[in-house]
Amino acid sequence: MVAPILVVFDLDDTLYLERDFALSGFAAADAWLCRAGGVKGLAPVCRDLFFAGERLRVFDRALEMLGLRADPALVASLVSVYRSHAPDIRLADDAARYLASRSPAFPCAMITDGPTAMQRAKVHALGLGEALKCIVCTGALGEGFGKPHPRAFAMVERWAAPTRLPLVYVADNPVKDFVTPRARGWWTVQIARRERVHRLPAPGAAYEAHARVTTLDALDDCLIRLQRESEDARPAAAVDP
């Protein structure tokens, strides 16, 4: 059985599939463009671009493919609709199981990057307000405080301090998610879902997670293994002759 530990989650591609938010946002932008300009077919073009790997200029390219000029004001409106819509998303099945299995005595927390209103809309749509007792949206902290900046992790540490329990950060992106909690003495676990969006490798050993799972159904066993390895690596206590 895993010893008491406070689990801190990332959100996107950790508790739900980020692609589902993208598809939901494309549908909302499509409906808006149809109402505002009488143009149909935006969502399927955006989906094709997304699954082909486009991330930064989806709306610009989609408009051009529909024969329209990618006017900056129009693109900005589409981005605003995308970010502010009420998302049609749900927890990954394993995430729902894991959160339901957690004892109320050991609450979970979250640190998530992204525009504040957008991330809070995801939290609301997923019903995470009750399951997670501390939620830090780094977008609310101001420019430059997204991961891997330490401020959000320090905030969670202050929340967790009365419990005196160790912390683990469970997230998907080794480029930014693990380097800071590792440096602060947390355990780190990468959840590498088959459908995940971010697939760049860690830029160095310090950026890698301590362990890797493909489903949260395996998380407790993973934590037990990390705890045992930590105990095995601890120097033996001196014995008086």
Side-chain angles (χ1 to χ4, degrees):
M1 182 177 179
V2 64
I5 185 170
L6 294 187
V7 180
V8 185
F9 290 105
D10 175 42
L11 178 57
D12 301 302
D13 271 344
T14 298
L15 295 179
Y16 85 105
L17 293 179
E18 185 173 351
R19 70 170 190 196
D20 291 348
F21 179 84
L23 299 181
S24 176
F26 296 151
D30 186 315
W32 179 88
L33 187 60
C34 186
R35 292 194 304 270
V39 177
K40 299 180 180 180
L42 179 69
V45 177
C46 289
R47 284 197 297 268
D48 289 346
L49 288 167
F50 181 85
F51 285 119
E54 180 61 63
R55 297 291 182 269
L56 300 178
R57 300 183 65 252
V58 173
F59 289 129
D60 304 70
R61 292 194 58 194
L63 290 170
E64 292 168 356
M65 293 172 70
L66 290 171
L68 302 173
R69 187 171 72 89
D71 177 73
L74 176 57
V75 171
S77 294
L78 292 171
V79 170
S80 178
V81 170
Y82 178 93
R83 290 180 173 176
S84 64
H85 84 287
D88 181 14
I89 55 177
R90 66 179 183 87
L91 288 173
D93 290 343
D94 60 310
R97 285 191 295 270
Y98 189 83
L99 291 173
S101 73
R102 290 286 295 185
S103 167
F106 307 114
C108 296
M110 174 186 289
I111 297 172
T112 178
D113 278 349
T116 308
M118 183 174 76
Q119 298 306 97
R120 287 177 177 165
K122 295 175 185 177
V123 168
H124 177 75
L126 296 170
L128 290 171
E130 288 298 316
L132 304 175
K133 301 307 180 183
C134 175
I135 298 175
V136 180
C137 296
T138 64
L141 304 181
E143 188 70 27
F145 291 109
K147 296 178 288 186
H149 194 281
R151 176 170 289 189
F153 296 95
M155 292 171 66
V156 171
E157 288 170 357
R158 287 195 293 272
W159 164 78
T163 72
R164 298 181 179 271
L165 292 175
L167 293 158
V168 60
Y169 192 50
V170 182
D172 69 296
N173 188 354
V175 172
K176 64 175 182 176
D177 283 335
F178 307 120
V179 61
T180 300
R182 280 195 67 143
R184 300 178 74 88
W186 297 28
W187 281 316
T188 55
V189 176
Q190 182 186 12
I191 172 75
R193 299 188 181 279
R194 180 173 57 84
E195 307 92 339
R196 68 191 185 278
V197 170
H198 300 290
R199 294 179 176 273
L200 290 176
Y207 287 77
E208 295 176 353
H210 291 98
R212 187 173 187 256
V213 296
T214 58
T215 171
L216 295 180
D217 291 328
L219 180 57
D220 279 350
D221 285 343
C222 176
L223 295 178
I224 290 170
R225 186 174 69 252
L226 287 174
Q227 290 172 337
R228 286 174 177 167
E229 290 172 354
S230 177
E231 289 293 324
D232 290 344
R234 184 178 300 172
V239 178
D240 290 334

